[in-house]
mmCIF file of all heavy atoms in Angstrom:
data_model
loop_
_atom_site.group_PDB
_atom_site.id
_atom_site.type_symbol
_atom_site.label_atom_id
_atom_site.label_comp_id
_atom_site.label_asym_id
_atom_site.label_seq_id
_atom_site.Cartn_x
_atom_site.Cartn_y
_atom_site.Cartn_z
ATOM 1 N N ALA A 101 0.850 -1.205 0.009
ATOM 2 C CA ALA A 101 -0.005 -0.004 -0.001
ATOM 3 C C ALA A 101 0.871 1.256 0.019
ATOM 4 O O ALA A 101 0.483 2.289 -0.545
ATOM 5 C CB ALA A 101 -0.911 -0.004 1.239
ATOM 6 N N LYS A 102 2.051 1.148 0.563
ATOM 7 C CA LYS A 102 2.951 2.273 0.628
ATOM 8 C C LYS A 102 3.456 2.733 -0.753
ATOM 9 O O LYS A 102 3.636 3.901 -1.003
ATOM 10 C CB LYS A 102 4.135 1.974 1.535
ATOM 11 C CG LYS A 102 3.742 1.693 2.984
ATOM 12 C CD LYS A 102 4.927 1.286 3.825
ATOM 13 C CE LYS A 102 4.577 0.959 5.233
ATOM 14 N NZ LYS A 102 5.710 0.487 6.055
ATOM 15 N N ASP A 103 3.709 1.760 -1.629
ATOM 16 C CA ASP A 103 4.280 2.106 -2.942
ATOM 17 C C ASP A 103 3.191 2.406 -3.999
ATOM 18 O O ASP A 103 3.539 2.737 -5.142
ATOM 19 C CB ASP A 103 5.233 1.029 -3.414
ATOM 20 C CG ASP A 103 4.591 -0.337 -3.600
ATOM 21 O OD1 ASP A 103 3.351 -0.393 -3.797
ATOM 22 O OD2 ASP A 103 5.308 -1.349 -3.560
ATOM 23 N N ARG A 104 1.927 2.242 -3.638
ATOM 24 C CA ARG A 104 0.786 2.571 -4.501
ATOM 25 C C ARG A 104 0.764 1.707 -5.779
ATOM 26 O O ARG A 104 0.050 2.042 -6.702
ATOM 27 C CB ARG A 104 0.815 4.051 -4.877
ATOM 28 C CG ARG A 104 0.614 4.999 -3.703
ATOM 29 C CD ARG A 104 -0.790 4.887 -3.109
ATOM 30 N NE ARG A 104 -1.823 5.190 -4.101
ATOM 31 C CZ ARG A 104 -2.226 6.425 -4.361
ATOM 32 N NH1 ARG A 104 -1.679 7.451 -3.740
ATOM 33 N NH2 ARG A 104 -3.180 6.635 -5.259
ATOM 34 N N GLN A 105 1.525 0.632 -5.794
ATOM 35 C CA GLN A 105 1.577 -0.204 -7.005
ATOM 36 C C GLN A 105 0.211 -0.800 -7.330
ATOM 37 O O GLN A 105 -0.137 -0.958 -8.515
ATOM 38 C CB GLN A 105 2.617 -1.304 -6.829
ATOM 39 C CG GLN A 105 2.797 -2.223 -8.035
ATOM 40 C CD GLN A 105 3.890 -3.263 -7.813
ATOM 41 O OE1 GLN A 105 4.546 -3.277 -6.787
ATOM 42 N NE2 GLN A 105 4.056 -4.117 -8.802
ATOM 43 N N TYR A 106 -0.548 -1.153 -6.297
ATOM 44 C CA TYR A 106 -1.833 -1.811 -6.501
ATOM 45 C C TYR A 106 -3.005 -0.928 -6.053
ATOM 46 O O TYR A 106 -4.136 -1.390 -6.024
ATOM 47 C CB TYR A 106 -1.865 -3.144 -5.748
ATOM 48 C CG TYR A 106 -0.748 -4.094 -6.150
ATOM 49 C CD1 TYR A 106 0.344 -4.291 -5.320
ATOM 50 C CD2 TYR A 106 -0.749 -4.708 -7.403
ATOM 51 C CE1 TYR A 106 1.382 -5.159 -5.682
ATOM 52 C CE2 TYR A 106 0.258 -5.575 -7.772
ATOM 53 C CZ TYR A 106 1.323 -5.788 -6.910
ATOM 54 O OH TYR A 106 2.345 -6.635 -7.289
ATOM 55 N N ASN A 107 -2.725 0.284 -5.649
ATOM 56 C CA ASN A 107 -3.786 1.239 -5.297
ATOM 57 C C ASN A 107 -4.547 0.798 -4.011
ATOM 58 O O ASN A 107 -5.742 1.044 -3.887
ATOM 59 C CB ASN A 107 -4.783 1.403 -6.457
ATOM 60 C CG ASN A 107 -5.504 2.733 -6.411
ATOM 61 O OD1 ASN A 107 -4.907 3.738 -6.028
ATOM 62 N ND2 ASN A 107 -6.754 2.740 -6.809
ATOM 63 N N PHE A 108 -3.828 0.191 -3.062
ATOM 64 C CA PHE A 108 -4.435 -0.264 -1.835
ATOM 65 C C PHE A 108 -4.508 0.901 -0.812
ATOM 66 O O PHE A 108 -3.595 1.726 -0.740
ATOM 67 C CB PHE A 108 -3.625 -1.369 -1.157
ATOM 68 C CG PHE A 108 -3.540 -2.647 -1.944
ATOM 69 C CD1 PHE A 108 -2.450 -3.504 -1.771
ATOM 70 C CD2 PHE A 108 -4.552 -3.044 -2.795
ATOM 71 C CE1 PHE A 108 -2.370 -4.684 -2.486
ATOM 72 C CE2 PHE A 108 -4.475 -4.245 -3.526
ATOM 73 C CZ PHE A 108 -3.379 -5.051 -3.337
ATOM 74 N N ASP A 109 -5.552 0.891 -0.014
ATOM 75 C CA ASP A 109 -5.653 1.795 1.148
ATOM 76 C C ASP A 109 -5.407 0.941 2.379
ATOM 77 O O ASP A 109 -6.292 0.174 2.825
ATOM 78 C CB ASP A 109 -7.057 2.414 1.167
ATOM 79 C CG ASP A 109 -7.220 3.422 2.305
ATOM 80 O OD1 ASP A 109 -6.363 3.475 3.186
ATOM 81 O OD2 ASP A 109 -8.224 4.144 2.317
ATOM 82 N N ALA A 110 -4.272 1.078 2.981
ATOM 83 C CA ALA A 110 -3.881 0.273 4.132
ATOM 84 C C ALA A 110 -4.701 0.570 5.369
ATOM 85 O O ALA A 110 -4.693 -0.209 6.327
ATOM 86 C CB ALA A 110 -2.381 0.447 4.440
ATOM 87 N N SER A 111 -5.394 1.696 5.392
ATOM 88 C CA SER A 111 -6.230 2.032 6.542
ATOM 89 C C SER A 111 -7.591 1.349 6.497
ATOM 90 O O SER A 111 -8.383 1.462 7.403
ATOM 91 C CB SER A 111 -6.413 3.551 6.648
ATOM 92 O OG SER A 111 -7.215 4.023 5.577
ATOM 93 N N ARG A 112 -7.867 0.662 5.365
ATOM 94 C CA ARG A 112 -9.172 -0.023 5.208
ATOM 95 C C ARG A 112 -8.947 -1.414 4.637
ATOM 96 O O ARG A 112 -9.161 -1.687 3.496
ATOM 97 C CB ARG A 112 -10.097 0.796 4.316
ATOM 98 C CG ARG A 112 -10.500 2.154 4.929
ATOM 99 C CD ARG A 112 -11.436 2.915 3.995
ATOM 100 N NE ARG A 112 -10.730 3.398 2.811
ATOM 101 C CZ ARG A 112 -11.397 3.919 1.765
ATOM 102 N NH1 ARG A 112 -12.686 4.052 1.785
ATOM 103 N NH2 ARG A 112 -10.708 4.387 0.715
ATOM 104 N N ILE A 113 -8.478 -2.305 5.532
ATOM 105 C CA ILE A 113 -8.204 -3.700 5.157
ATOM 106 C C ILE A 113 -9.226 -4.613 5.841
ATOM 107 O O ILE A 113 -9.425 -4.543 7.049
ATOM 108 C CB ILE A 113 -6.785 -4.110 5.557
ATOM 109 C CG1 ILE A 113 -5.730 -3.295 4.799
ATOM 110 C CG2 ILE A 113 -6.566 -5.603 5.278
ATOM 111 C CD1 ILE A 113 -4.320 -3.568 5.202
ATOM 112 N N VAL A 114 -9.847 -5.469 5.037
ATOM 113 C CA VAL A 114 -10.781 -6.476 5.560
ATOM 114 C C VAL A 114 -10.172 -7.861 5.255
ATOM 115 O O VAL A 114 -9.588 -8.052 4.186
ATOM 116 C CB VAL A 114 -12.137 -6.354 4.833
ATOM 117 C CG1 VAL A 114 -13.086 -7.471 5.278
ATOM 118 C CG2 VAL A 114 -12.759 -4.976 5.127
ATOM 119 N N VAL A 115 -10.320 -8.757 6.188
ATOM 120 C CA VAL A 115 -9.891 -10.147 5.969
ATOM 121 C C VAL A 115 -11.124 -11.015 5.971
ATOM 122 O O VAL A 115 -11.984 -10.927 6.864
ATOM 123 C CB VAL A 115 -8.898 -10.639 7.053
ATOM 124 C CG1 VAL A 115 -8.324 -11.993 6.625
ATOM 125 C CG2 VAL A 115 -7.762 -9.643 7.256
ATOM 126 N N ALA A 116 -11.274 -11.863 4.944
ATOM 127 C CA ALA A 116 -12.441 -12.725 4.802
ATOM 128 C C ALA A 116 -11.996 -14.138 4.406
ATOM 129 O O ALA A 116 -10.958 -14.330 3.801
ATOM 130 C CB ALA A 116 -13.400 -12.161 3.718
ATOM 131 N N GLY A 117 -12.839 -15.117 4.752
ATOM 132 C CA GLY A 117 -12.549 -16.483 4.354
ATOM 133 C C GLY A 117 -13.673 -17.407 4.770
ATOM 134 O O GLY A 117 -14.555 -17.034 5.568
ATOM 135 N N ALA A 118 -13.635 -18.633 4.230
ATOM 136 C CA ALA A 118 -14.700 -19.599 4.485
ATOM 137 C C ALA A 118 -14.132 -20.854 5.078
ATOM 138 O O ALA A 118 -13.075 -21.368 4.651
ATOM 139 C CB ALA A 118 -15.438 -19.918 3.171
ATOM 140 N N SER A 119 -14.815 -21.403 6.077
ATOM 141 C CA SER A 119 -14.441 -22.673 6.721
ATOM 142 C C SER A 119 -13.056 -22.542 7.333
ATOM 143 O O SER A 119 -12.865 -21.664 8.200
ATOM 144 C CB SER A 119 -14.529 -23.810 5.685
ATOM 145 O OG SER A 119 -14.461 -25.054 6.292
ATOM 146 N N ALA A 120 -12.111 -23.343 6.936
ATOM 147 C CA ALA A 120 -10.747 -23.161 7.467
ATOM 148 C C ALA A 120 -10.223 -21.778 7.068
ATOM 149 O O ALA A 120 -9.442 -21.171 7.785
ATOM 150 C CB ALA A 120 -9.812 -24.226 6.918
ATOM 151 N N GLY A 121 -10.675 -21.261 5.923
ATOM 152 C CA GLY A 121 -10.324 -19.914 5.542
ATOM 153 C C GLY A 121 -10.958 -18.887 6.458
ATOM 154 O O GLY A 121 -10.407 -17.793 6.696
ATOM 155 N N GLY A 122 -12.142 -19.189 7.001
ATOM 156 C CA GLY A 122 -12.782 -18.323 7.978
ATOM 157 C C GLY A 122 -11.934 -18.288 9.257
ATOM 158 O O GLY A 122 -11.730 -17.229 9.873
ATOM 159 N N HIS A 123 -11.467 -19.476 9.709
ATOM 160 C CA HIS A 123 -10.555 -19.542 10.853
ATOM 161 C C HIS A 123 -9.347 -18.674 10.592
ATOM 162 O O HIS A 123 -8.904 -17.896 11.445
ATOM 163 C CB HIS A 123 -10.162 -20.978 11.111
ATOM 164 C CG HIS A 123 -8.919 -21.120 11.931
ATOM 165 N ND1 HIS A 123 -7.656 -21.252 11.367
ATOM 166 C CD2 HIS A 123 -8.703 -21.140 13.297
ATOM 167 C CE1 HIS A 123 -6.765 -21.331 12.336
ATOM 168 N NE2 HIS A 123 -7.367 -21.269 13.495
ATOM 169 N N LEU A 124 -8.724 -18.798 9.411
ATOM 170 C CA LEU A 124 -7.505 -18.067 9.106
ATOM 171 C C LEU A 124 -7.767 -16.580 8.966
ATOM 172 O O LEU A 124 -6.922 -15.737 9.284
ATOM 173 C CB LEU A 124 -6.859 -18.629 7.855
ATOM 174 C CG LEU A 124 -6.292 -20.052 8.007
ATOM 175 C CD1 LEU A 124 -5.886 -20.608 6.635
ATOM 176 C CD2 LEU A 124 -5.108 -20.073 9.001
ATOM 177 N N ALA A 125 -8.951 -16.196 8.472
ATOM 178 C CA ALA A 125 -9.326 -14.790 8.451
ATOM 179 C C ALA A 125 -9.380 -14.237 9.875
ATOM 180 O O ALA A 125 -8.904 -13.121 10.129
ATOM 181 C CB ALA A 125 -10.674 -14.619 7.732
ATOM 182 N N LEU A 126 -9.959 -15.009 10.778
ATOM 183 C CA LEU A 126 -10.044 -14.558 12.151
ATOM 184 C C LEU A 126 -8.656 -14.402 12.784
ATOM 185 O O LEU A 126 -8.357 -13.352 13.380
ATOM 186 C CB LEU A 126 -10.891 -15.546 12.975
ATOM 187 C CG LEU A 126 -12.384 -15.564 12.642
ATOM 188 C CD1 LEU A 126 -13.062 -16.802 13.248
ATOM 189 C CD2 LEU A 126 -13.062 -14.291 13.161
ATOM 190 N N THR A 127 -7.819 -15.408 12.630
ATOM 191 C CA THR A 127 -6.509 -15.288 13.256
ATOM 192 C C THR A 127 -5.682 -14.197 12.603
ATOM 193 O O THR A 127 -4.965 -13.456 13.266
ATOM 194 C CB THR A 127 -5.743 -16.633 13.205
ATOM 195 O OG1 THR A 127 -5.733 -17.127 11.874
ATOM 196 C CG2 THR A 127 -6.396 -17.676 14.118
ATOM 197 N N THR A 128 -5.784 -14.044 11.299
ATOM 198 C CA THR A 128 -5.043 -13.007 10.613
ATOM 199 C C THR A 128 -5.416 -11.631 11.119
ATOM 200 O O THR A 128 -4.555 -10.777 11.356
ATOM 201 C CB THR A 128 -5.297 -13.073 9.107
ATOM 202 O OG1 THR A 128 -4.893 -14.348 8.597
ATOM 203 C CG2 THR A 128 -4.504 -11.979 8.353
ATOM 204 N N GLY A 129 -6.702 -11.419 11.363
ATOM 205 C CA GLY A 129 -7.157 -10.117 11.801
ATOM 206 C C GLY A 129 -7.039 -9.887 13.299
ATOM 207 O O GLY A 129 -6.856 -8.737 13.744
ATOM 208 N N MET A 130 -7.101 -10.941 14.112
ATOM 209 C CA MET A 130 -7.128 -10.802 15.544
ATOM 210 C C MET A 130 -5.739 -10.789 16.196
ATOM 211 O O MET A 130 -5.547 -10.183 17.259
ATOM 212 C CB MET A 130 -7.942 -11.930 16.170
ATOM 213 C CG MET A 130 -9.411 -11.936 15.781
ATOM 214 S SD MET A 130 -10.307 -13.452 16.247
ATOM 215 C CE MET A 130 -10.426 -13.192 18.030
ATOM 216 N N LEU A 131 -4.792 -11.466 15.565
ATOM 217 C CA LEU A 131 -3.456 -11.585 16.175
ATOM 218 C C LEU A 131 -2.698 -10.289 16.195
ATOM 219 O O LEU A 131 -2.900 -9.394 15.388
ATOM 220 C CB LEU A 131 -2.631 -12.646 15.421
ATOM 221 C CG LEU A 131 -3.052 -14.111 15.595
ATOM 222 C CD1 LEU A 131 -2.334 -14.973 14.587
ATOM 223 C CD2 LEU A 131 -2.721 -14.576 17.020
ATOM 224 N N LYS A 132 -1.749 -10.225 17.113
ATOM 225 C CA LYS A 132 -0.762 -9.129 17.178
ATOM 226 C C LYS A 132 0.635 -9.748 16.974
ATOM 227 O O LYS A 132 0.809 -10.945 17.148
ATOM 228 C CB LYS A 132 -0.805 -8.439 18.527
ATOM 229 C CG LYS A 132 -2.127 -7.773 18.844
ATOM 230 C CD LYS A 132 -2.118 -7.126 20.229
ATOM 231 C CE LYS A 132 -3.447 -6.473 20.545
ATOM 232 N NZ LYS A 132 -3.418 -5.882 21.896
ATOM 233 N N ALA A 133 1.581 -8.926 16.601
ATOM 234 C CA ALA A 133 2.941 -9.419 16.400
ATOM 235 C C ALA A 133 3.468 -10.068 17.667
ATOM 236 O O ALA A 133 4.214 -11.079 17.613
ATOM 237 C CB ALA A 133 3.851 -8.300 15.959
ATOM 238 N N SER A 134 3.073 -9.575 18.819
ATOM 239 C CA SER A 134 3.559 -10.139 20.093
ATOM 240 C C SER A 134 3.039 -11.521 20.375
ATOM 241 O O SER A 134 3.512 -12.197 21.298
ATOM 242 C CB SER A 134 3.176 -9.177 21.258
ATOM 243 O OG SER A 134 1.782 -9.001 21.299
ATOM 244 N N ASP A 135 2.054 -12.003 19.602
ATOM 245 C CA ASP A 135 1.528 -13.347 19.835
ATOM 246 C C ASP A 135 2.441 -14.420 19.260
ATOM 247 O O ASP A 135 2.212 -15.627 19.531
ATOM 248 C CB ASP A 135 0.143 -13.468 19.213
ATOM 249 C CG ASP A 135 -0.882 -12.564 19.920
ATOM 250 O OD1 ASP A 135 -0.867 -12.495 21.145
ATOM 251 O OD2 ASP A 135 -1.678 -11.941 19.195
#
């Protein structure tokens, strides 16, 4: 998002997934680096 190569807005990121992907969406969004 910093280099604007893909036109991402890093302040508005959503993580989504289904089944095991739903689990991974949850952990991706909920975790902190300290975990």
Side-chain angles (χ1 to χ4, degrees):
K102 297 176 182 177
D103 61 24
R104 297 293 301 275
Q105 182 178 358
Y106 303 106
N107 205 35
F108 296 153
D109 183 349
S111 69
R112 294 181 291 171
I113 297 175
V114 175
V115 189
S119 192
H123 161 268
L124 293 170
L126 290 166
T127 53
T128 300
M130 296 170 73
L131 287 168
K132 299 179 180 179
S134 58
D135 294 318

